[in-house]
Amino acid sequence: MKIRSGLTALVVVLAGLMAGAAPGAAATTMSAATGAPYCGITWGSAPKAAGTLSDAPLVDVRVGRHDCFDRVVFEFAGPVSGHTVGYGETWTEGEGLPLSPYTAGDELLRVSLQAPAYDDGHVGTVPYRVGEHVANLLRHPTLRDVVFGGSFEGYTTFAVGVRARLPFRVTVLAGPGTHSRIVLDVAHRWQQ
């Protein structure tokens, strides 16, 4: 009888331990089911903002393809660090017109650069007009469009169309020379 009571107690204790371990086991199984981050990317898709306003003008916008992400580079004739980037509607600077009807892609990244696209004489420093598509994105897995939203009172806006809501990062780089760059990378996928 004592052995049977001891075994029953042991079974009850083991069942309790197994029940306590179940949430951890479920979490491990769930994380294995969702897959590993794509290329180790852990950027997320939350808005990103940093830096301050600058008077160094935008002089170039270019795009590139990489193994794990597509890239948009905004180059300035001087030090610039101010930016706000996040998913959502993008409006033209000064007029406030929505750019989503004119931008390809299922999701829109709103890129606000805290620097003008004109010089001290208010002459444009990039060859784009408001609403113009500024890059050829043929063969880019993620990027679908880059549309100029204008520049007003020291702020410059772009709508970046992407194929889906994907992780992204924003990096500020010095150079070349006295120039600086704000770089937007958008991952090709969330997970492996």
Side-chain angles (χ1 to χ4, degrees):
M1 194 61 120
K2 287 186 180 188
I3 293 176
R4 183 177 256 189
S5 298
L7 284 176
T8 303
L10 182 60
V11 168
V12 169
V13 169
L14 286 175
L17 289 174
M18 298 272 292
T28 303
T29 305
M30 183 61 123
S31 105
T34 59
Y38 178 67
C39 292
I41 291 172
T42 57
W43 305 332
S45 62
K48 292 150 180 76
T52 59
L53 194 61
S54 172
D55 61 357
L58 179 70
V59 293
D60 192 23
V61 179
R62 54 190 178 273
V63 296
R65 285 180 298 145
H66 294 264
D67 290 339
C68 300
F69 54 87
D70 287 350
R71 172 171 282 180
V72 183
V73 178
F74 303 95
E75 186 173 335
F76 302 87
V80 172
S81 63
H83 63 274
T84 302
V85 180
Y87 282 100
E89 182 60 81
T90 304
W91 297 272
T92 59
E93 284 292 337
E95 294 176 289
L97 300 174
L99 286 170
S100 60
Y102 313 103
T103 308
D106 290 335
E107 289 286 340
L108 204 61
L109 276 166
R110 177 182 55 254
V111 177
S112 177
L113 307 169
Q114 296 176 22
Y118 48 82
D119 61 19
D120 290 338
H122 292 281
V123 175
T125 54
V126 291
Y128 321 119
R129 290 192 211 175
V130 173
E132 281 190 356
H133 307 270
V134 302
N136 178 346
L137 297 168
L138 186 64
R139 296 187 189 93
H140 283 73
T142 298
L143 294 177
R144 294 295 181 258
D145 212 347
V146 179
V147 176
F148 183 54
S151 190
F152 185 69
E153 294 183 348
Y155 289 84
T156 301
T157 298
F158 286 87
V160 177
V162 294
R163 67 174 178 77
R165 187 181 187 106
L166 294 161
F168 70 93
R169 71 176 172 190
V170 182
T171 311
V172 177
L173 302 171
T178 60
H179 286 206
S180 64
R181 292 161 288 155
I182 293 179
V183 178
L184 168 63
D185 295 326
V186 185
H188 293 164
R189 298 196 308 251
W190 274 100
Q191 60 195 24
Q192 297 289 34

